[in-house]
Amino acid sequence: MHSPANPLIANSMKIIKNTQELAAFCETCSHYDYVTIDTEFLRERTYYSKLCLVQMAHPGEGPETAALIDPLADGISLDPLYDLFQNPSVTKVFHAARQDLEIFFVDKKILPKPFFDTQIAAMVCGFGEQVGYEKLVRAICNEGLDKSSRFTDWSARPLSDKQKNYAIGDVTHLRQIYEFLAKKIHKSGRQSWVEEELAILMDPKTYVVEPSQAWRRIKTRSSSWKMIAAVQELAKFRESLAQSRNIPRNRIYKDDALLELAATRPKNIGEISKSRLLLREARKGQIADGILAAIAKANTYKSSDVERIEHSREKPMGKEGLAELLRVLLKAKAEEYGVAQKLIATSADLDQIALGTPDQRALTGWRAQVFGNDAQKLCQGDVALSSNGKNVVVVNI
């Protein structure tokens, strides 16, 4: 294990600002079993994240074991980092890597392999739901973190010493956390559990937003196929334009305005101008034209053309008691195995299992071993739940 990072290291650390220095540091990293990586970025004013800083550290002690890489420096190329990403002998360690990986995938269509996410590992090891980095630093490193720089402007230069301290702590402590969790997972024989979860983050589809599928994230209670058709076309236009302009989708129009347009289905600029929720700049020009084209396209749909989300998330009417028993079983199993409940199954998953829906993730893979097999037996009446005075236990009938 490594001693806690000395804040003075960050104050005197040289930030890598050219490709040659980055290549040299990545070459050094390539001689170790793992490196820890984190990023700082901005996304408030763009569709895609703007990468502002990359932090890296390899095993060891001292200021030379960690680096801050400035992707905004003139002329710098991150190719040496991407080469390291593809080095099969070095595990790339992140915490809560979803957004970090998206940045790299959007930039170069590259994902780091082999890869480890300490948030997923911590959930497998019983540290709770969506456990934060700060909690792990306290629990494993016995250190505190100053998180006051979390929401600073990472695109501004020069970086302050406080920003450097914050940033470098996200990878120096991560070394000790990774070693602790990797050892714990190996000892428990749960490597396959973690790998099953990491596979989702390693799937390129995780980072691709298809405009034609953008409507799925919009919550609408309407069952009208005509309105759903309009929602689909309006969401597709908005997503395509947001991607092409690299601006947040809500800068074009927000969800509530989209739903209003889908309900009223304006036929011309005059009718668009009557919208209560549409931004002023969306009432004319490219956006207004796009809205009218989307509505016109939706008006050509037939009922059979409209893709619908299966409303399979209904409450288990008539089987509420069984759903509650499944919740008790889930809690008991999560405690027994020391795994976060939501990693095993969500509340919606339990409702669907009670209804007899067979294709729940909780019934496959490692989850079947921990929970799913007994859940199915409970639904079939083959087991019951009892108590041994301290814990809930499964009893064969």
Side-chain angles (χ1 to χ4, degrees):
M1 300 299 177
H2 304 285
S3 60
N6 185 343
L8 295 177
I9 292 176
N11 295 344
S12 59
M13 181 173 293
K14 180 181 179 181
I15 299 178
I16 293 176
K17 295 184 178 182
N18 63 65
T19 308
Q20 184 177 359
E21 290 179 352
L22 177 58
F25 185 73
C26 289
E27 167 61 23
T28 299
C29 290
S30 70
H31 297 288
Y32 293 90
D33 292 336
Y34 73 87
V35 294
T36 55
I37 305 172
D38 189 37
T39 69
E40 306 299 338
F41 56 87
L42 297 177
R43 199 170 192 168
E44 290 79 10
R45 296 183 294 274
T46 58
Y47 182 91
Y48 299 106
S49 296
K50 178 182 180 181
L51 181 62
C52 299
L53 192 69
V54 180
Q55 306 97 279
M56 290 178 60
H58 60 69
E61 298 181 7
E64 72 281 356
T65 65
L68 300 177
I69 302 156
D70 186 0
L72 303 181
D74 289 340
I76 192 170
S77 168
L78 295 182
D79 284 349
L81 175 62
Y82 293 129
D83 290 340
L84 184 65
F85 276 8
Q86 298 176 90
N87 186 328
S89 64
V90 183
T91 298
K92 276 63 72 171
V93 180
F94 293 76
H95 179 83
R98 171 67 175 79
Q99 293 189 58
D100 301 314
L101 298 189
E102 181 183 28
I103 291 171
F104 298 125
F105 183 79
V106 168
D107 184 34
K108 281 287 186 176
K109 298 297 185 288
I110 290 176
L111 293 170
K113 296 179 182 179
F115 158 73
F116 191 92
D117 189 318
T118 54
Q119 184 179 71
I120 290 174
M123 293 173 72
V124 169
C125 292
F127 280 88
E129 317 287 350
Q130 301 296 320
V131 59
Y133 182 67
E134 187 176 5
K135 179 180 178 180
L136 291 181
V137 172
R138 288 198 306 267
I140 296 174
C141 307
N142 197 28
E143 291 282 329
L145 287 178
D146 178 7
K147 305 298 286 186
S148 60
S149 295
R150 180 182 304 175
F151 301 111
T152 59
D153 182 358
W154 289 100
S155 65
R157 296 293 185 269
L159 296 173
S160 68
D161 285 344
K162 194 171 185 180
Q163 285 178 306
K164 294 177 187 178
N165 278 323
Y166 169 91
I168 208 64
D170 279 349
V171 289
T172 50
H173 292 299
L174 191 55
R175 298 178 294 199
Q176 187 173 345
I177 292 170
Y178 166 66
E179 292 180 6
F180 176 89
L181 292 175
K183 182 177 180 180
K184 191 174 180 68
I185 288 169
H186 178 76
K187 186 176 180 180
S188 65
R190 296 181 180 179
Q191 296 98 322
S192 62
W193 298 17
V194 176
E195 289 169 4
E196 191 175 324
E197 301 309 303
L198 295 181
I200 299 172
L201 292 174
M202 287 291 96
D203 185 350
K205 293 179 182 177
T206 301
Y207 310 101
V208 176
V209 179
E210 294 289 350
S212 63
Q213 299 300 309
W215 67 276
R216 292 179 173 276
R217 60 173 295 277
I218 300 171
K219 296 179 181 179
T220 175
R221 296 181 179 180
S222 175
S223 59
S224 165
W225 66 265
K226 291 184 178 181
M227 180 166 178
I228 294 173
V231 168
Q232 291 177 1
E233 287 298 326
L234 287 165
K236 179 180 178 180
F237 162 69
R238 180 179 68 171
E239 205 73 18
S240 296
L241 187 60
Q243 291 178 354
S244 65
R245 288 189 178 182
N246 192 24
I247 59 175
R249 61 177 67 90
N250 285 345
R251 286 271 301 276
I252 299 171
Y253 42 78
K254 296 182 179 180
D255 285 0
D256 55 358
L258 186 153
L259 291 172
E260 180 190 42
L261 291 168
T264 59
R265 293 193 285 282
K267 300 180 180 64
N268 52 56
I269 295 294
E271 292 184 6
I272 284 180
S273 66
K274 296 178 182 178
S275 169
R276 297 179 299 109
L277 302 173
L278 205 58
L279 297 172
R280 181 178 299 177
E281 55 268 30
R283 299 168 187 262
K284 58 184 179 180
Q286 184 181 13
I287 297 177
D289 291 343
I291 290 171
L292 293 176
I295 295 297
K297 178 69 178 296
N299 287 339
T300 68
Y301 279 42
K302 299 176 182 178
S303 177
S304 58
D305 297 328
V306 178
E307 184 181 359
R308 294 174 174 83
I309 294 177
E310 294 295 330
H311 294 287
S312 59
R313 295 298 181 184
E314 69 269 15
K315 292 296 181 181
M317 300 300 293
K319 294 190 176 182
E320 294 90 344
L322 179 56
E324 289 305 315
L325 284 177
L326 287 169
R327 285 168 171 77
V328 174
L329 176 64
L330 175 62
K331 187 174 188 300
K333 290 293 186 177
E335 291 175 353
E336 177 185 349
Y337 284 90
V339 181
Q341 288 187 50
K342 287 184 180 178
L343 189 63
I344 302 173
T346 65
S347 181
D349 290 335
L350 300 182
D351 289 342
Q352 299 313 302
I353 294 171
L355 286 168
T357 306
D359 58 346
Q360 300 304 310
R361 193 171 64 136
L363 304 179
T364 62
W366 67 267
R367 292 174 175 82
Q369 173 192 338
V370 172
F371 168 76
N373 293 337
D374 281 337
Q376 289 183 299
K377 290 178 182 179
L378 183 64
C379 292
Q380 294 161 2
D382 295 330
V383 300
L385 301 182
S386 183
S387 169
N388 62 8
K390 293 183 178 180
N391 302 308
V392 172
V393 294
V394 177
V395 180
N396 289 318
I397 298 177

